[in-house]
Amino acid sequence: MGLFDRLFGRKDKAKEEVPVLEEHHEEQVVEEVAHDIEQHHDEGEVGQDVAELRDETPTEPVVEVVEVKEAISEAGTDISTDLTQDFMSEHKVVEEIATVPVNDVESAYKQSGANEAGLQLEPESEEEKYQRTLKKTRTGFGAKLNEFFANFRSVDEDFFEELEELLITSDVGVQVASHLTEELRYEARLENAKKPETLRRLIIEKLVDIYEKDGRFSEQIAFQDGLTVMLFVGVNGVGKTTSIGKLAYRYKEAGKKVMLVAADTFRAGAVAQLVEWGRRVDVPVVTGPEKSDPASVVFDGMERALAEQVDILLIDTAGRLQNKDNLMAELEKIGRIIKRSLPNAPHETLLALDASTGQNALVQAKEFSKITPLTGLVLTKLDGTARGGVVLAIRQELDIPVKLIGFGEKIDDIGEFHSESFMRGLLEGLV
């Protein structure tokens, strides 16, 4: 069964018809409902319920106000002052909450992991994280697609040209947009499609087929029985170091022994940031003197990880893409040092990409793939952008799988990438 079939049902399957009630059964249901309404009305149950509520409402305070005043007077000013401060504090909180829009309050509660009652919410499932993360992309693409279909009454050349432009501006990439449009032209002629709406499902189907490619996704992290070495590359500011910190937390929570290596020695801020993440998630960080040789820091990290029987070693490196020759030489040297300690390592070389940069992320992936062999991609900041379509472009134009995805700002907002969850989150509601 293909990816589209698993996501949305069989391609050749027509929309399921809504079951129609048999005539005699429908009449019976209507009669039963009418009888119940009439019976409740006759017995005056609605009015009775309201009356009971009124009877149960207390009409007098449990404690007399005079008694409270006397108690405060006897106790002195301290209690009175405390009560006044408490009242003012609570009153201020109520005022502040009243001025916050409902959506913002709900969002704040979700971010804090608590509900309105202050109780801890159930952790988000991975499916829910995909839905939340891809909301901007899904709604943006859906709105564009709906507007596009509303503007056309017939399938002609203008239809296909504007569709191609829409796909390009949705960051699915020029190659994907051109390929899909050409296939749709062929299908429209084959099926003699006259109305644009008949091609809606076919467009989504083609997008899924383009992503499915040969059916091999290679998304799993290559964990080893002993030490697993993961080398991270990427330009500054894409969320590389933050992703490493979150992964350290994720793997430690899974019971793994984790260690970090700060090999971006030419940028002091990068080392400090990784050290702070190590402190935050309580995992050791191997560092070296400022401006020291990155390969020497990696050597120390490898030796220590093997000696201490670490399960997962995460190595942060520099991302100076503007100086490709120096970066290539540096990464090659790091690779040789790693292999000297562990011949089959690194087991993953992962490029961090900022999804919010759209097609620029695709350009970075192409450039880095020329500098060093990449086993996978880490897609960051996807929750804050409508440019999730870049994943389709990456899949079509590069033979590099997305292996990790960032879901947001929280410490556990990172996870393994799953094609089906991603495509469902991206396209659900459009078919």
Side-chain angles (χ1 to χ4, degrees), residues 231 298 330-340 345-346:
L231 185 68
V298 172
E330 183 180 302
L331 291 175
E332 285 177 351
K333 187 176 180 181
I334 288 174
R336 289 196 303 272
I337 292 296
I338 292 172
K339 290 186 184 301
R340 190 179 301 173

Side-chain angles (χ1 to χ4, degrees), residues 168-181:
I168 291 172
T169 57
S170 298
D171 285 290
V172 302
V174 175
Q175 191 173 328
V176 172
S178 300
H179 179 73
L180 185 143
T181 307

Side-chain angles (χ1 to χ4, degrees), residues 148 151-152 157-167:
F148 170 77
N151 289 338
F152 281 92
E157 189 54 33
D158 287 342
F159 172 87
F160 290 112
E161 286 181 4
E162 290 210 20
L163 175 62
E164 185 173 357
E165 185 178 338
L166 181 152
L167 292 170

Side-chain angles (χ1 to χ4, degrees), residues 5 11 51 103 105 113 169 196 198 226 237 273 283 285 342 359 364:
D5 297 344
K11 298 177 186 178
N103 290 339
V105 173
T169 57
T198 60
Q273 186 182 2
V283 299
V285 182
L342 199 61
Q359 291 300 297
Q364 286 180 25

